[in-house]
Amino acid sequence: MSINLNTTFAINLSAIPLNPEGIILEQKDFSSGTGYTTKMDLVTGLYNNLYNTDMGGNIDCGIEENSYNSAMYVYPFNKELVFSTGLTWGNIGEGFQENITVTEQLQFSLDKEQTVKYPVQELISATWFNGLVWDSTGKTAIPPDITVVSNNVSLPIEVYGTVTVKYKTFRHVYAIDIPARDTSDGTAYQSVGYVWWNGGVKMLVLQPPVGAEEDEKSGVNCLGRSIVHTLPSDDLPVPPGEQDNTTILINYCLQQEM
Amino acid sequence: MNITTSIPITGNQLNVNNVWARLEQEYKKDVVSDGTGISDLLNMIGRARVGSSAFTYVKDVCKYAKLEGTDTVVVTLDIFVWPSSMSLEYDIKVDLGTISSTQVMVEDRSFDVVFEGTNKVDLPYIFDGKFTPQMPFISPTGVRLLNINVVPYKTYVTTDKDVFCVLRANGTVSGYRHTVTMALDKSGEDDKEYKIENLQNTVVITWLDENGEEQSDSLQLEIPPCVEGMLDTCDNGLLVGVIGCLGRDCDGKDMYVVYYNSCDGEPILERWEKNE
């Protein structure tokens, strides 16, 4: 049986309403490298210091004027859910709503149910990897229909296979600003975000940028701190391995490889 | 001395026994490693600019180890014992070296205490102070609750209903401090030093619980990188540093040389030498 590898197989978007209860609460990730100083940043900084230049750099401590900015994401399972938000320390903004597209891969290993991370508002596509699935005997099988309810993805039969699910989800976004407390015991930025609605509560311990508590304790920032955070990949470069010589002949007139 | 507690206290963290003790090391290995930093480099640049040698810049002296004589590295690491009661009697032992007698410790501390649908949160130490709500008290079904009583005890805090809430604790914590001392001999044969690798040391504390049964807690000590550096081999023990011709004609005829011990950075000899 030939299989069109690009076929999106039958999807049954269930008519059952989304789970009316429940919220997923998340903190926005800091940009990659926040709070870290790479060796290149270090060299740039030294160059600027030695030669009185301003070459600029990519150092982002994540902290500005003793506070850090981030965001709280609230993903309600029921888009109409009415809830309240707050922080135990810091400031939270008005909030706005947005739809985002999420792509996830689900690995089925002879099971019939998996979950995606967020509530699904609209399923865009669900594609089996290479269009292949296998049954319990190891033989290829017809990829089954996929049913999505809330964040549950279910199949009518057990198979092996990988499905890439692309979907839209809905969230509220709240900007947060967490200033440092006047304390030097390493708890300056401790804060908990919370959401509550008629039926439940969710809390989230917020995380400051890496090194922020230590910097606050020491009274320096990541530019002037006596200790430099370096990324694990920032170690000494791996010396190049031996390689065979390669000879390439170029036609000078045509500027083409011969 | 301040101790970092970056993770808020949540419910049901500790053992349920009423009599307990917990070990904690003062030195914390964290992302802020003991490597060369920007200020070290700027210090070295500053030295070079004024004619001193960047070579002879010695980073912060390792506060956890020192050289005694020429062959012995003495390592001192502090640990804390947080008991459920200051009258708790306990035995404390260490695998390697000696451990000092108790020193009572009372320190200021502030931290978050998080109730997640419970009415009791255990604290990791004896605490004396205030608990201030940082948010409304909310029931597990999402109803805002009023008139909730917060009752603090020495090692735990309670509310009169199951709640979601965060309290900010401000006060003092009480416990004991001990110092672990290890004297490590680096001398080898023929007056050659050898390095000590993979230093490991474990502290064990034992006590009797409320049922008369023996309980224990153990802690493998984290060895600071600067200590590991002191335990490394010191080849020849010397490194030459060259300073610029401070106050002299820099015609290359002579140079100011500092000999220092590469193990501890202490200058051994400083003099002008002919640049031959």
Side-chain angles (χ1 to χ4, degrees):
Chain A
M1 180 185 69
S2 64
I3 299 172
N4 183 339
L5 297 183
N6 294 319
T7 299
T8 299
F9 291 92
I11 301 163
N12 180 1
L13 280 177
S14 172
I16 299 172
L18 293 181
N19 185 340
E21 296 185 355
I23 271 177
I24 293 173
L25 191 52
E26 274 187 355
Q27 180 180 355
K28 179 184 176 183
D29 289 332
F30 292 104
S31 305
S32 173
T34 299
Y36 289 98
T37 306
T38 65
K39 286 190 172 69
M40 182 53 74
D41 293 331
L42 194 56
V43 170
T44 305
L46 290 172
Y47 186 92
N48 288 337
N49 184 280
L50 285 170
Y51 301 108
N52 234 10
T53 57
D54 182 16
M55 285 182 65
N58 295 320
I59 301 174
D60 179 9
C61 299
I63 301 287
E64 199 167 325
E65 294 182 355
N66 296 103
S67 71
Y68 77 89
N69 295 316
S70 183
M72 229 166 49
Y73 297 136
V74 179
Y75 298 85
F77 280 80
N78 183 344
K79 204 171 171 180
E80 311 304 323
L81 187 68
V82 175
F83 57 87
S84 301
T85 58
L87 295 178
T88 60
W89 176 259
N91 306 298
I92 186 167
E94 289 286 326
F96 61 91
Q97 301 169 1
E98 64 179 10
N99 287 306
I100 60 167
T101 301
V102 180
T103 303
E104 294 183 44
Q105 279 197 337
L106 301 179
Q107 176 68 47
F108 285 88
S109 302
L110 283 188
D111 51 351
K112 290 164 47 172
E113 282 191 9
Q114 296 278 336
T115 54
V116 288
K117 193 172 179 186
Y118 305 108
V120 177
Q121 295 291 333
E122 177 191 337
L123 185 64
I124 299 171
S125 67
T127 309
W128 290 100
F129 181 70
N130 281 343
L132 293 172
V133 298
W134 294 265
D135 62 21
S136 57
T137 65
K139 294 179 182 173
T140 54
I142 298 172
D145 289 347
I146 295 171
T147 300
V148 178
V149 176
S150 183
N151 66 337
N152 292 313
V153 177
S154 58
L155 311 175
I157 56 171
E158 296 171 346
V159 296
Y160 284 107
T162 303
V163 60
T164 299
V165 180
K166 192 172 178 181
Y167 62 95
K168 280 192 179 170
T169 190
F170 168 80
R171 68 184 181 188
H172 299 261
V173 181
Y174 295 90
I176 61 175
D177 169 62
I178 313 293
R181 286 184 181 85
D182 184 19
T183 177
S184 59
D185 58 8
T187 64
Y189 293 105
Q190 271 190 344
S191 182
V192 177
Y194 56 93
V195 176
W196 87 91
W197 63 97
N198 185 7
V201 186
K202 273 285 171 70
M203 298 170 80
L204 175 70
V205 176
L206 299 170
Q207 300 297 328
V210 68
E213 290 284 9
E214 291 86 353
D215 288 349
E216 184 60 32
K217 207 168 130 187
S218 309
V220 295
N221 64 21
C222 77
L223 295 176
R225 66 165 75 113
S226 62
I227 307 294
V228 172
H229 294 205
T230 54
L231 292 164
S233 59
D234 201 32
D235 293 334
L236 291 173
V238 176
E242 293 184 4
Q243 297 189 15
D244 294 331
N245 290 325
T246 303
T247 302
I248 302 173
L249 299 179
I250 304 289
N251 183 311
Y252 180 78
C253 296
L254 300 175
Q255 288 296 300
Q256 289 174 351
E257 187 174 338
M258 294 168 57
Chain B
M1 191 276 304
N2 292 310
I3 306 163
T4 298
T5 306
S6 58
I7 302 173
I9 311 301
T10 56
N12 303 320
Q13 285 199 134
L14 298 173
N15 62 71
V16 298
N17 293 334
N18 293 325
V19 180
W20 51 263
R22 187 173 68 88
L23 289 169
E24 182 182 346
Q25 185 174 353
E26 179 190 17
Y27 168 76
K28 299 287 189 302
K29 180 181 180 182
D30 56 31
V31 130
V32 184
S33 65
D34 300 66
T36 300
I38 289 177
S39 77
D40 296 318
L41 296 173
L42 292 177
N43 267 304
M44 287 193 275
I45 291 172
R47 291 174 72 87
R49 279 182 165 154
V50 298
S52 297
S53 170
F55 244 160
T56 56
Y57 169 70
V58 178
K59 192 172 165 57
D60 295 339
V61 174
C62 183
K63 59 181 179 179
Y64 303 107
K66 61 179 181 180
L67 202 61
E68 277 192 358
T70 56
D71 299 323
T72 303
V73 175
V74 178
V75 180
T76 54
L77 296 169
D78 281 3
I79 59 163
F80 307 123
V81 175
W82 302 112
S84 57
S85 162
M86 293 301 283
S87 61
L88 177 69
E89 292 184 2
Y90 59 87
D91 284 328
I92 188 164
K93 293 177 184 171
V94 64
D95 287 346
L96 181 65
T98 60
I99 190 160
S100 70
S101 56
T102 57
Q103 178 188 343
V104 174
M105 197 172 55
V106 178
E107 296 201 338
D108 293 335
R109 189 72 65 89
S110 61
F111 51 91
D112 281 349
V113 179
V114 181
F115 282 76
E116 292 181 288
T118 63
N119 64 359
K120 180 188 176 191
V121 174
D122 290 317
L123 304 175
Y125 11 63
I126 298 170
F127 177 79
D128 185 18
K130 294 181 183 176
F131 292 93
T132 308
Q134 302 293 293
M135 60 178 275
F137 292 98
I138 303 172
S139 76
T141 56
V143 176
R144 184 165 177 169
L145 300 172
L146 300 174
N147 301 320
I148 295 293
N149 287 319
V150 175
V151 183
Y153 296 86
K154 288 290 184 190
T155 55
Y156 60 94
V157 58
T158 66
T159 55
D160 41 20
K161 289 181 182 177
D162 287 346
V163 294
F164 281 80
C165 185
V166 174
L167 306 176
R168 185 71 179 175
N170 278 293
T172 58
V173 298
S174 302
Y176 297 104
R177 175 194 288 265
H178 294 268
T179 300
V180 174
T181 305
M182 297 171 272
L184 304 166
D185 184 3
K186 288 181 62 181
S187 62
E189 293 179 355
D190 300 327
D191 293 329
K192 287 184 182 173
E193 289 180 317
Y194 64 92
K195 65 179 175 178
I196 298 172
E197 285 184 304
N198 197 28
L199 175 64
Q200 292 186 11
N201 202 357
T202 302
V203 178
V204 177
I205 182 175
T206 55
W207 67 94
L208 295 179
D209 66 16
E210 65 273 22
N211 298 320
E213 294 180 4
E214 185 174 275
Q215 303 292 333
S216 67
D217 188 23
S218 66
L219 174 71
Q220 179 162 330
L221 295 176
E222 192 74 49
I223 306 298
C226 71
V227 173
E228 291 175 337
M230 296 273 286
L231 298 176
D232 206 341
T233 309
C234 295
D235 293 331
N236 300 321
L238 299 177
L239 186 66
V240 174
V242 178
I243 297 182
C245 306
L246 181 64
R248 301 274 292 262
D249 291 333
C250 295
D251 57 2
K253 287 183 180 176
D254 48 24
M255 58 185 177
Y256 195 75
V257 179
V258 175
Y259 294 90
Y260 68 93
N261 186 313
S262 62
C263 289
D264 59 22
E266 289 296 323
I268 299 171
L269 175 67
E270 301 179 24
R271 65 185 181 195
W272 286 97
E273 292 183 352
K274 290 210 178 294
N275 185 13
E276 295 169 349

